[in-house]
């Protein structure tokens, strides 16, 4: 059975989508069967893997709202073992349409759970909000990775996210765990970045990944070419960081 991991933080620009794309690509390169579920209406994970969302007949929206089987929406990518369940701007309206549904918090779980037998890892790229779609993603997940930017306001809002996770754990998904806090956009030349790194490690101790994602131009450029950094520039620092993270995640889940 595969593991379902959400990447969540209601703060935008912390590296959720970058992590979803590059961690998934690294895991697939290491021989794991991986699926990205793009649960963000901006569909950046989809376009970042070369999917033209304008041409798609089915996306996660149709799976959630019209009960279209996810197999009809899943698309392959340039990386052999990596697939994606793409998103679309229509997903913005899904929250409103789901309000009157029975078990509205568990709609995504019903879509994704049957796929666990086919994949080693299912990564859900959440939108920067704590709305119903993100609640659905966390309800469907085994664990959550929380990307934290190495900047001044890094810890702001984390308490709100942790509170949401606590509520979901008590009411909707008792087995939900925090896979780890992932420090992103790290620049070791900046004193502030080192302070944030030390503060997060001190505060959350063993819950923080050893791997730190450095600020890297190649990571920023790769999505505009529709490729993960691994294909765009395999020797880049960012690509190596995510390969290290993938190895750490696999190690953590095989102990």
């Amino acid at each position: 059975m595969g593991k379902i991991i959400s990447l969540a933080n209601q703060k935008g620009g912390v590296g959720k989508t970058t992590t979803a794309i590059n961690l998934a690509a690294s895991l697939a390169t290491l021989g794991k069967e991986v699926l990205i579920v793009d649960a963000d209406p901006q569909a950046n994970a989809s376009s970042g893997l070369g999917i033209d969302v304008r041409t798609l007949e089915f996306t996660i929206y149709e799976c959630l709202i019209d009960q279209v089987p996810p197999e009809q929406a899943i698309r392959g990518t340039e990386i052999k073992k990596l697939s994606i369940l793409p998103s679309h701007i229509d997903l913005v309206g899904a929250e409103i349409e789901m309000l009157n549904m029975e078990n509205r918090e568990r709609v995504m779980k019903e879509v994704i759970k049957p796929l666990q037998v086919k994949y080693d890892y299912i990564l859900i790229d959440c939108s920067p909000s704590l709305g119903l779609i993100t609640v659905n993603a966390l309800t469907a997940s085994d664990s959550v990775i929380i990307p934290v930017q190495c900047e001044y306001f890094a810890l702001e809002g984390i308490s709100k996210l942790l509170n949401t996770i606590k509520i979901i754990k008590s009411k909707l998904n008792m087995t939900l765990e925090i896979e780890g806090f992932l420090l992103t956009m790290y620049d070791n030349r900046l004193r502030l970045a080192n302070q944030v790194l030390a503060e997060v490690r001190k505060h959350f101790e063993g819950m923080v990944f050893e791997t730190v994602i450095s600020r890297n131009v190649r990571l920023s450029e790769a999505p505009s070419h529709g490729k993960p950094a691994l294909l765009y520039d395999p020797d880049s620092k960012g690509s190596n960081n995510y390969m290290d993270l993938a190895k750490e995640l696999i190690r953590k889940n095989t102990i």
Side-chain angles (χ1 to χ4, degrees):
M1 285 286 277
K3 188 165 193 180
I4 303 175
I5 305 173
S6 276
L7 290 106
N9 190 331
Q10 76 273 24
K11 196 172 185 295
V14 297
K16 284 188 296 293
T17 302
T18 300
T19 298
I21 292 171
N22 291 290
L23 174 57
S26 299
L27 287 166
T29 305
L30 291 167
K32 303 296 180 184
E33 289 288 345
V34 187
L35 174 70
I36 292 181
V37 176
D38 192 348
D40 185 348
Q42 294 176 77
N44 291 336
S46 304
S47 59
L49 283 170
I51 306 289
D52 184 353
V53 295
R54 297 166 299 179
T55 64
L56 298 173
E57 185 181 358
F58 300 122
T59 66
I60 189 168
Y61 171 84
E62 284 77 19
C63 298
L64 295 173
I65 305 302
D66 302 325
Q67 284 81 53
V68 168
E71 290 83 359
Q72 290 187 37
I74 290 169
R75 294 283 173 269
T77 69
E78 276 189 78
I79 293 178
K80 192 181 172 188
K81 289 178 174 284
L82 175 59
S83 302
I84 184 162
L85 176 50
S87 185
H88 191 273
I89 192 66
D90 288 351
L91 195 61
V92 169
E95 297 214 357
I96 298 160
E97 294 178 68
M98 287 162 71
L99 283 175
N100 297 320
M101 286 186 181
E102 206 175 322
N103 275 342
R104 62 188 182 191
E105 295 91 355
R106 294 184 170 88
V107 181
M108 194 181 292
K109 184 176 183 175
E110 286 167 20
V111 171
I112 295 171
K113 275 289 177 185
L115 300 171
Q116 269 187 293
V117 293
K118 297 181 182 178
Y119 298 96
D120 297 305
Y121 291 94
I122 297 175
L123 304 182
I124 308 176
D125 184 29
C126 298
S127 66
S129 77
L130 293 177
L132 187 55
I133 299 288
T134 299
V135 168
N136 261 264
L138 293 171
T139 304
S141 296
D142 298 307
S143 64
V144 54
I145 290 174
I146 303 170
V148 179
Q149 197 174 353
C150 289
E151 291 195 355
Y152 184 67
F153 293 114
L155 296 175
E156 197 178 75
I158 284 186
S159 58
K160 194 176 178 186
L161 175 61
L162 293 177
N163 194 45
T164 301
I165 291 169
K166 192 177 171 185
I167 292 165
I168 288 168
K169 196 168 178 177
S170 65
K171 291 186 162 59
L172 297 164
N173 182 1
M174 289 171 69
T175 58
L176 182 65
E177 298 293 337
I178 292 173
E179 190 72 41
F181 291 85
L182 175 67
L183 289 147
T184 63
M185 303 179 200
Y186 174 66
D187 186 339
N188 64 356
R189 297 167 301 175
L190 301 177
R191 191 170 69 177
L192 179 63
N194 288 301
Q195 285 173 345
V196 171
L197 182 77
E199 196 175 336
V200 172
R201 287 212 160 127
K202 180 184 165 192
H203 198 73
F204 297 108
E205 296 175 340
M207 294 165 76
V208 185
F209 282 104
E210 287 172 31
T211 306
V212 174
I213 310 301
S214 298
R215 192 176 285 280
N216 182 250
V217 176
R218 293 302 199 210
L219 278 179
S220 310
E221 291 173 350
S224 63
H225 296 267
K227 296 174 185 287
L230 201 65
L231 292 182
Y232 179 64
D233 186 352
D235 297 322
S236 66
K237 197 170 191 179
S239 180
N240 289 328
N241 286 166
Y242 277 109
M243 187 57 78
D244 289 342
L245 178 65
K247 288 173 183 171
E248 186 178 348
L249 185 67
I250 292 168
R251 203 164 57 240
K252 195 176 174 188
N253 284 286
T254 47
I255 289 169

